[in-house]
Amino acid sequence: NTEWVYLEKLLPECCSALEKLGYGKKALDLTLHVAQIYRNDTTVRSKCYQTAIGLLDRGISAEVALSSSDDVEWHQTVYTHLLQTNPQSLLDIKTDSILDWLSEHQGDLLATWLARHEMHAQAAIAYRNRALVEHLNINERVNYYTRALIQAKAAVTPNSDSAGKREQDTELDLHQIQDEFDLLKLQKEVCDALQDQGELDIRY
């Protein structure tokens, strides 16, 4: 629309001027405010978010960026940007939408995030699911099952009543994970023995 044609050029200029004056947060707020004004226009909103992401690259922290708006699409834009530029920083984020986003996008980061935030039962299940991915070799599976077992044991010995209540909401079978891990270790021992005898010459 005609209004946006004007704003598309003006918005970056205003943000740049505010940044030069040391008002990066105000530039971010302005950009997100314009995005909300045009919330029904996907193209305009996306361009506003691109401008806002540029502010993150120039010093605005992810924490400030996420707290500046409760718009889920903006949060997802920030998550995607961090995934591309600094994936480990996602582990420190605790917003209402981060868990759903990680569940859809990142298996390893999801499991690590759950463990970091002491959601042990869900972390155990996430690590176990990673161990079942088809392309993994047996050593990688052992690694994931080891992590799954550590989290599963932490889940059944919560440090507080609130932690216990949280874990009860997730189905977790410690004995099943232990049995699967024991079987996997046995398979590994057999593979190691065959490899030592020269009967297995492929990476397993």
Side-chain angles (χ1 to χ4, degrees):
N1 56 56
T2 306
E3 226 174 64
W4 172 247
V5 170
Y6 176 68
L7 272 175
E8 187 172 17
K9 180 175 182 296
L10 183 62
L11 183 60
E13 292 177 355
C14 289
C15 288
S16 178
L18 286 168
E19 279 189 283
K20 288 178 181 178
L21 293 171
Y23 296 121
K25 175 62 167 63
K26 290 188 180 298
L28 176 66
D29 290 340
L30 172 63
T31 305
L32 296 178
H33 180 67
V34 174
Q36 282 303 301
I37 292 174
Y38 291 93
R39 56 184 172 275
N40 295 322
D41 189 321
T42 304
T43 301
V44 171
R45 195 171 64 249
S46 176
K47 289 182 178 179
C48 287
Y49 289 157
Q50 289 173 17
T51 300
I53 286 296
L55 295 170
L56 266 72
D57 289 333
R58 295 190 295 276
I60 295 291
S61 70
E63 182 179 3
V64 169
L66 292 168
S67 64
S68 297
S69 171
D70 58 3
D71 180 28
V72 173
E73 185 177 344
W74 165 238
H75 284 201
Q76 292 174 343
T77 301
V78 174
Y79 304 153
T80 300
H81 176 71
L82 293 177
L83 180 62
Q84 297 168 349
T85 58
N86 186 13
Q88 291 302 306
S89 65
L90 287 165
L91 298 176
D92 297 320
I93 292 173
K94 195 167 185 180
T95 56
D96 292 339
S97 58
I98 184 66
L99 187 53
D100 287 340
W101 185 86
L102 285 173
S103 298
E104 294 178 5
H105 291 80
Q106 284 293 315
D108 277 2
L109 272 176
L110 169 63
T112 306
W113 188 94
L114 290 166
R116 170 81 64 90
H117 295 280
E118 299 184 351
M119 301 174 71
H120 300 297
Q122 290 173 263
I125 293 170
Y127 279 127
R128 176 182 175 272
N129 289 342
R130 293 300 295 160
L132 300 177
V133 174
E134 289 185 3
H135 64 77
L136 299 181
N137 62 49
I138 198 167
N139 291 311
E140 291 169 326
R141 293 185 197 282
V142 166
N143 181 40
Y144 280 123
Y145 261 108
T146 299
R147 297 182 186 186
L149 195 57
I150 290 171
Q151 293 300 316
K153 289 179 177 178
V156 297
T157 55
N159 294 323
S160 67
D161 292 340
S162 60
K165 182 179 185 302
R166 182 177 61 227
E167 298 301 338
Q168 290 170 7
D169 295 335
T170 303
E171 291 186 7
L172 175 69
D173 190 334
L174 172 60
H175 297 296
Q176 179 182 351
I177 293 177
Q178 181 69 67
D179 289 345
E180 291 173 351
F181 185 40
D182 290 342
L183 178 59
L184 184 63
K185 286 192 295 183
L186 181 59
Q187 292 173 343
K188 185 178 185 306
E189 289 174 7
V190 171
C191 289
D192 286 342
L194 291 173
Q195 192 172 52
D196 289 343
Q197 296 171 15
E199 297 182 26
L200 185 65
D201 59 358
I202 60 173
R203 181 174 181 265
Y204 62 86

